Amino acid sequence: MAAAGGELFLRARGRTLNAFREDKEYEWKGPFYFIQGADPQFGLMKAWAIGDCDNGGDEWGEEIKLTEQAVRAINKLNPKPKFFVLCGDLIHGMPGSQWRTDQEQDLKKVLKNTDQDIPLVFVSGNHDIGNTPTRETIDTYCKHWGDDYFSFWVGGVFFLVLNSQLYFDSSKCPELKQAQDVWLNGQLAVAEKHKCKHIIVFQHIPLFLRKPDEENDYFNLEKSVRQEIMEKFHKAGVKAVFSGHYHRNAGGSYRGLEMVVSSAIGCQLGEDQHGLRVVAVTAEKIVHRYYSLNELSSQGIDKDLVDMLAKQN
Ligand SMILES: [Zn+2]
């Protein structure tokens, strides 16, 4: 699959991902896996180290090295993952901040070395479009990374990428939140019509970190908003939501809906290692495991997961 420079980053257009032929992907073709990463967030490690998260992100050499290691580890995997999804906070500089352009350029420089057979899927985070996004910040994001929300099919599995900032604070763009809601309802109806094997959601901010009824926090969605989305997902049969934002591994479940929170490629705020999550999808289940970048590059994927993928259905 050949893609010129810019196209690598702009596959999400027209609310779909131009990497898989939709009409060929409705059908289940056997187990596969993909890689989930979150928060490369170029600039946070320096900002965090000097205690100035707003203005301290003027260097990101560490994040460049870590993301390079992530790309090398992914390129070595055999069999190849179907895609590599990055669940937001691609860079640290908020819209309007001075290092943003350089951070984005440097991230693209690293990511373009990803094996061309492994499409990149981008999810917008709060640092990408702002804590209170506007039409302008979202438009700018879309110009660089493709649509902020879209869906795609891979081998009978339906994937939804959502813009979770519209759930976090849509006060400056209520019409965009409304549009995503209408689109999402339509998409869940499509999923039902095509009898997909699983529905999987990607969004930056977790619905919750450990318990569906936990208190509001900087790192989860507000309770009433959360309840509404969880119930909608549950009714539609969504199996799992993968997110980042927390810079730690966490997760829980709500009526059969699994919430998976993955730690960061970049800055760690807890005890986890810089890493990536391997997600294997079989006819019956979704099995996922977080690997440190060192583990994944030196040992690859565990044998039990490889065996699971080798089975015919
Ligand atoms: Zn975030």
Side-chain angles (χ1 to χ4, degrees):
M1 192 188 303
E7 286 169 42
L8 286 179
F9 306 108
L10 295 173
R11 285 210 166 100
R13 281 282 181 242
R15 304 284 173 224
T16 187
L17 186 78
N18 303 314
F20 303 101
R21 286 256 324 256
E22 190 162 295
D23 55 335
K24 298 206 167 168
E25 298 289 342
Y26 288 139
E27 222 175 298
W28 176 252
K29 295 169 192 158
F32 65 89
Y33 80 104
F34 63 87
I35 301 290
Q36 185 222 1
D39 303 274
Q41 205 163 339
F42 281 25
L44 176 60
M45 290 174 86
K46 169 79 185 286
W48 186 256
I50 64 167
D52 182 2
C53 273
D54 291 338
N55 302 301
D58 61 344
E59 287 176 24
W60 47 90
E62 280 300 308
E63 285 96 339
I64 289 178
K65 275 192 229 151
L66 291 161
T67 312
E68 282 173 345
Q69 190 185 4
V71 167
R72 276 199 308 272
I74 291 170
N75 288 348
K76 276 205 296 193
L77 294 172
N78 183 24
K80 287 181 190 185
K82 283 280 185 184
F83 59 87
F84 173 27
V85 58
L86 265 172
C87 280
D89 284 357
L90 305 172
I91 55 161
H92 183 62
M94 288 280 188
S97 80
Q98 59 177 317
W99 295 293
R100 196 174 162 89
T101 309
D102 290 340
Q103 289 170 349
E104 284 193 327
Q105 272 177 4
D106 283 350
L107 176 59
K108 286 187 175 182
K109 234 184 264 173
V110 176
L111 291 177
K112 79 172 167 21
N113 295 318
T114 309
D115 185 321
Q116 303 244 320
D117 291 333
I118 306 169
L120 297 163
V121 180
F122 299 105
V123 181
S124 62
N126 54 309
H127 283 263
D128 304 309
I129 59 175
N131 283 318
T132 306
T134 64
R135 183 176 280 275
E136 199 191 348
T137 64
I138 293 175
D139 281 351
T140 305
Y141 169 86
C142 295
K143 252 182 240 156
H144 288 100
W145 303 101
D147 287 349
D148 57 328
Y149 59 89
F150 54 96
S151 66
F152 61 101
W153 289 80
V154 179
V157 178
F158 191 48
F159 292 93
L160 288 160
V161 170
L162 299 180
N163 178 345
S164 54
Q165 288 316 112
L166 296 175
Y167 295 127
F168 182 80
D169 183 358
S170 64
S171 57
K172 295 235 171 94
C173 55
E175 73 289 357
L176 297 183
K177 180 197 185 285
Q178 166 85 13
Q180 178 174 253
D181 286 346
V182 169
W183 171 87
L184 176 59
N185 293 339
Q187 293 298 301
L188 294 173
V190 169
E192 196 177 3
K193 190 181 111 198
H194 286 287
K195 308 213 178 322
C196 57
K197 222 23 141 190
H198 308 290
I199 308 174
I200 296 175
V201 172
F202 300 119
Q203 60 182 53
H204 179 63
I205 303 182
L207 296 168
F208 56 90
L209 300 171
R210 287 184 181 83
K211 288 188 185 148
D213 61 349
E214 70 197 17
E215 290 307 313
N216 297 336
D217 186 295
Y218 172 77
F219 292 106
N220 61 23
L221 286 179
E222 189 277 329
K223 269 182 157 182
S224 64
V225 175
R226 184 195 312 165
Q227 185 59 39
E228 194 186 318
I229 304 172
M230 288 189 308
E231 204 39 43
K232 180 184 291 202
F233 285 178
H234 163 69
K235 281 198 185 118
V238 175
K239 288 267 168 60
V241 177
F242 289 87
S243 42
H245 188 53
Y246 193 40
H247 297 253
R248 281 155 278 203
N249 287 310
S253 74
Y254 171 81
R255 306 180 71 189
L257 167 70
E258 189 179 7
M259 182 66 240
V260 185
V261 184
S262 296
S263 197
I265 293 173
C267 192
Q268 300 302 309
L269 300 184
E271 303 301 311
D272 297 294
Q273 303 285 316
H274 308 281
L276 293 167
R277 191 174 293 276
V278 172
V279 186
V281 183
T282 75
E284 300 81 32
K285 56 190 177 179
I286 294 155
V287 182
H288 54 86
R289 205 166 290 166
Y290 186 85
Y291 289 81
S292 73
L293 296 178
N294 289 337
E295 283 166 344
L296 195 65
S297 28
S298 61
Q299 295 149 38
I301 299 171
D302 292 326
K303 189 171 179 305
D304 62 319
L305 286 184
V306 176
D307 289 347
M308 196 182 285
L309 293 165
K311 285 196 188 137
Q312 279 313 299
N313 46 53

